[in-house]
């Protein structure tokens, strides 16, 4: 099973993020139902490892926090943008959750990239080098404030690759223990 771990966002927020779309040639906008905040990408995981993983994730003790949205940005940089995203204000409890998730994943012998966790919500992926519309998108003034989102759980997702694109299905949700 191809898996990743993410924080789900309320439908209202996903609608507002979807509303930020503009016309950019060669862009693939993330469909509303697939907008999420990735904590870890796992790739293919076998059934035995999945059992181990769900056990390891269930032992995570995390504290609830609020996600506060910040500006729009891109990866890897403005000269060669491939991914357009909305960023998040620094939140130590989010970083701590991502760290605990990463430790649990590594403990199951699932390899993880070395690069540091850089919290973002992907809005679009670009197929070819930046048309001038990308600059306009990145420089747009903020039209509306996105309200903060309370986070009390995270979700293990399956990502099934189909000819129509990826289909994401929640496998298991892990609620933070009450304070
Ligand atoms: P991102 O969009 O937040 O950067 C599910 O596929 C999620 O896993 C994607 O939304 C992406 O997060 C993240 N991901 C990281 N590495 C990936 C990879 N090699 N292939 C697919 N998704 C990856």
């Amino acid at each position: 099973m191809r898996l990743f771990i993410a924080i789900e966002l309320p439908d209202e927020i996903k609608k507002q993020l979807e509303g930020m779309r503009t016309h950019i040639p060669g862009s693939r906008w993330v469909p509303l139902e697939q907008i999420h905040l990735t904590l870890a990408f796992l790739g293919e995981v076998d059934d035995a490892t999945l059992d181990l993983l769900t056990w390891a994730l269930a032992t995570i003790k995390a504290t609830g926090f609020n996600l506060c949205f910040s500006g729009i940005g891109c990866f890897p940089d403005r000269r060669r943008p491939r991914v357009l995203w909305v960023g998040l204000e620094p939140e130590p409890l989010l970083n701590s959750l991502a760290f605990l998730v990463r430790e649990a994943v590594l403990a199951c012998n699932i390899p993880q990239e070395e690069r540091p966790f850089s919290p973002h919500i992907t809005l679009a992926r670009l197929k070819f080098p930046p048309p001038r519309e990308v600059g306009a998108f990145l420089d747009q003034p903020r039209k509306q404030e996105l309200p903060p989102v309370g986070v009390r759980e995270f979700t293990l997702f399956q990502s099934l690759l189909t000819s129509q694109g990826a289909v994401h299905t929640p496998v298991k949700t892990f609620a933070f223990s009450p304070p």
Side-chain angles (χ1 to χ4, degrees), residues 2-6 30 34 36-43 75 83 85 113 115 118-123 125 157 159 161 166 168:
R2 189 170 183 270
L3 299 173
F4 69 99
I5 297 166
V30 177
Q34 285 183 20
H36 59 259
L37 167 55
T38 307
L39 293 170
F41 177 73
L42 315 190
F75 289 143
V83 173
W85 45 255
E113 285 178 352
R115 67 182 137 167
S118 172
H120 64 277
I121 293 162
T122 298
L123 297 179
R125 298 186 173 84
F157 282 94
S159 171
L161 297 179
H168 296 169

Side-chain angles (χ1 to χ4, degrees), residues 15-161:
K15 274 190 208 129
Q16 279 181 261
L17 292 168
E18 190 189 37
M20 291 167 67
R21 291 179 181 179
T22 57
H23 176 71
I24 300 177
S27 58
R28 281 184 293 120
W29 294 88
V30 177
L32 177 133
E33 67 280 3
Q34 285 183 20
I35 297 178
H36 59 259
L37 167 55
T38 307
L39 293 170
F41 177 73
L42 315 190
E44 280 299 328
V45 170
D46 61 47
D47 287 352
T49 308
L50 174 58
D51 287 345
L52 201 60
L53 177 70
T54 44
W55 180 84
L57 293 175
T59 65
I60 288 180
K61 303 246 174 307
T63 307
F65 55 87
N66 282 337
L67 285 181
C68 295
F69 297 90
S70 59
I72 295 171
C74 63
F75 289 143
D77 58 54
R78 274 186 85 110
R79 276 186 307 119
R80 297 164 296 150
R82 305 294 298 178
V83 173
L84 305 180
W85 45 255
V86 170
L88 296 152
E89 299 291 347
E91 170 48 71
L93 291 169
L94 169 61
N95 280 52
S96 151
L97 173 63
F99 174 80
L100 293 171
V101 164
R102 181 186 166 87
E103 292 290 293
V105 170
L106 288 171
C108 299
N109 282 324
I110 301 168
Q112 289 291 278
E113 285 178 352
E114 280 304 326
R115 67 182 137 167
F117 175 59
S118 172
H120 64 277
I121 293 162
T122 298
L123 297 179
R125 298 186 173 84
L126 302 176
K127 279 196 224 123
F128 44 77
R132 100 195 120 68
E133 289 85 347
V134 173
F137 179 79
L138 292 171
D139 294 332
Q140 68 183 289
R142 261 200 258 182
K143 290 191 205 88
Q144 54 179 329
E145 282 300 326
L146 291 155
V149 171
V151 178
R152 303 286 176 273
E153 61 184 34
F154 64 94
T155 303
L156 174 65
F157 282 94
Q158 177 182 17
S159 171
L160 191 66
L161 297 179

